[in-house]
Amino acid sequence: MVRINIFEAPGLRMNDEAAQETAEAFVACTGMKYSFDWSAKLDKRKTIYAHAMEGNVLKAIELTNELASDLLQNNEDVLFDLLTLHFVELVRSRNCTGALEFAQKELTSYGNREQYIEKLQDVVTLLAYEEPEKSPVYEFLSMDHRQSVADKLNKLVLTHHQLPATSSLERLVQQVSVVRYCLKQDCGKDGWAPFSLTSFLKR
């Protein structure tokens, strides 16, 4: 059996709207009844995820604490990633004074904890460069890093809701989408059209 990494194909990550549409289409087709309020639970995490992805880290932390006051306190690795991401966003905006003050207030306590020291040192190093985007640790300024942190927070919120990070249905649709994408790439304009579960169920 050939295994395909769904994250290697561009444009195939399923967002909240697509996930909700997929679930609703599947339920409508099968005649199943909702066992929980899918839309409400998606909306709670969607706003948090959006703020994290936009670099509004403190707002994402605030909303997560409103959702469950001890969620981040009990998951320090995710909290540390969020705090360092906010530091990075301050550096990105060239607010070096604000970044330094934030580090002294919120990150100092991590400086004597072995599991965080290396990353903390690398992140703080950004302050030493006039153009941090050209520094050896520029990857902390990348959108990939921001998305990685946002994904960790998103997974944490999903776990809190007792929902899987990726449903079986979503994984199936992603797999089919990737196969269709690969066929399209191989066959060119005469290849298969992108897969749509909604269109498929209307047949």
Side-chain angles (χ1 to χ4, degrees), residues 63-127:
L63 293 176
T64 304
N65 288 335
E66 290 178 1
L67 179 69
S69 59
D70 59 348
L71 189 58
L72 290 175
Q73 296 301 322
N74 292 335
N75 293 272
E76 285 196 274
D77 288 352
V78 177
L79 178 58
F80 175 73
D81 285 341
L82 287 167
L83 293 175
T84 52
L85 179 60
H86 179 65
F87 174 88
V88 167
E89 297 302 329
L90 291 171
V91 173
R92 188 198 306 277
S93 65
R94 298 300 191 269
N95 185 359
C96 294
T97 300
L100 182 59
E101 291 176 350
F102 180 80
Q104 291 173 336
K105 180 180 179 182
E106 301 292 346
L107 298 176
T108 301
S109 61
Y110 293 95
N112 56 4
R113 302 174 64 179
E114 186 175 352
Q115 67 267 40
Y116 302 119
I117 290 176
E118 183 176 355
K119 181 177 179 179
L120 182 58
Q121 290 175 339
D122 287 344
V123 169
V124 173
T125 299
L126 289 168
L127 283 175

Side-chain angles (χ1 to χ4, degrees), residues 127-146:
L127 283 175
Y129 297 90
E130 290 186 6
E131 296 182 80
E133 294 83 1
K134 297 180 180 180
S135 71
V137 289
Y138 70 91
E139 66 270 12
F140 289 114
L141 292 159
S142 69
M143 287 303 298
D144 284 344
H145 175 67
R146 185 190 285 180

Side-chain angles (χ1 to χ4, degrees), residues 1-2 6 13 37 58-59 61-62 73 75 84 92 99 104 115 117 131 139 141 150 168 189-190 197:
M1 179 178 179
V2 178
I6 63 174
R13 178 181 290 271
D37 190 344
L58 296 185
K59 187 63 177 178
I61 292 175
E62 176 188 338
Q73 296 301 322
N75 293 272
T84 52
R92 188 198 306 277
Q104 291 173 336
Q115 67 267 40
I117 290 176
E131 296 182 80
E139 66 270 12
L141 292 159
S168 298
K189 65 179 181 179
D190 296 325
L197 179 61

